[in-house]
Amino acid sequence: MSALSTSEREKLARMLSERKEPLREEIRTGLKRMRTEGYEELLSGTSDAGDRSIAKLLTDVNNAEVVRDAGELQDIFAAETRLATGTYGTCIDCDSPIPYARLVAYPTAKRCLGCQQTHETARGSAVR
Ligand SMILES: [Zn+2]
């Protein structure tokens, strides 16, 4: 069950939708940068082991950004599916309504703050 009003739901749907295009752009830019600053390109003309590690590091960092952006885009699609099926704004773990303020801050939230903290602690990563 969701505690969201129709106008709140519409605002969140708009926020999700507006986030998609910049994300797609970031992913495109990231992929382009990976091609231009990729391993082989950075290494062209050098066989130095230090340059090799720097090049590898840059590629990994860039990859991590693209992977994170792609993950966020997937979260948005998942949130839009939940909006369409009427489960958006309901915690997937405890079925409580997720507060509107939390959804505005984090429109792809699947869990209430309590369950998210439990989930993140279990996974050993930061709460968002
Ligand atoms: Zn919960």
Side-chain angles (χ1 to χ4, degrees):
M1 219 205 61
S2 170
L4 296 174
S5 71
T6 305
S7 65
E8 285 171 345
R9 189 182 299 273
E10 280 169 1
K11 180 180 159 61
L12 290 161
R14 206 160 47 239
M15 285 174 68
L16 286 166
S17 171
E18 283 168 359
R19 182 71 185 122
K20 275 192 287 188
E21 193 44 42
L23 263 181
R24 283 201 187 94
E25 190 53 43
E26 279 173 35
I27 293 168
R28 271 197 295 267
T29 307
L31 290 174
K32 216 184 296 170
R33 213 164 39 214
M34 266 156 70
R35 280 200 293 274
T36 54
E37 284 179 19
Y39 201 66
E40 290 84 2
E41 286 83 356
L42 276 173
L43 287 176
S44 62
T46 175
S47 58
D48 184 67
D51 285 352
R52 195 178 292 266
S53 343
I54 290 166
K56 178 75 169 70
L57 187 68
L58 281 174
T59 308
D60 285 348
V61 166
N62 228 323
N63 260 316
E65 281 172 16
V66 172
V67 166
R68 195 198 52 217
D69 287 342
E72 194 179 338
L73 193 57
Q74 276 179 344
D75 283 347
I76 290 173
F77 287 130
E80 288 185 328
T81 303
R82 292 196 300 278
L83 268 171
T85 55
T87 58
Y88 182 80
T90 303
C91 176
I92 60 168
D93 285 352
C94 72
D95 277 346
S96 306
I98 302 172
Y100 178 62
R102 168 157 169 75
L103 290 167
V104 167
Y106 183 25
T108 58
K110 297 188 276 284
R111 294 178 180 84
C112 68
L113 197 56
C115 290
Q116 186 63 31
Q117 275 163 349
T118 307
H119 179 74
E120 299 286 354
T121 307
R123 277 179 21 189
S125 52
V127 174
R128 46 187 271 190

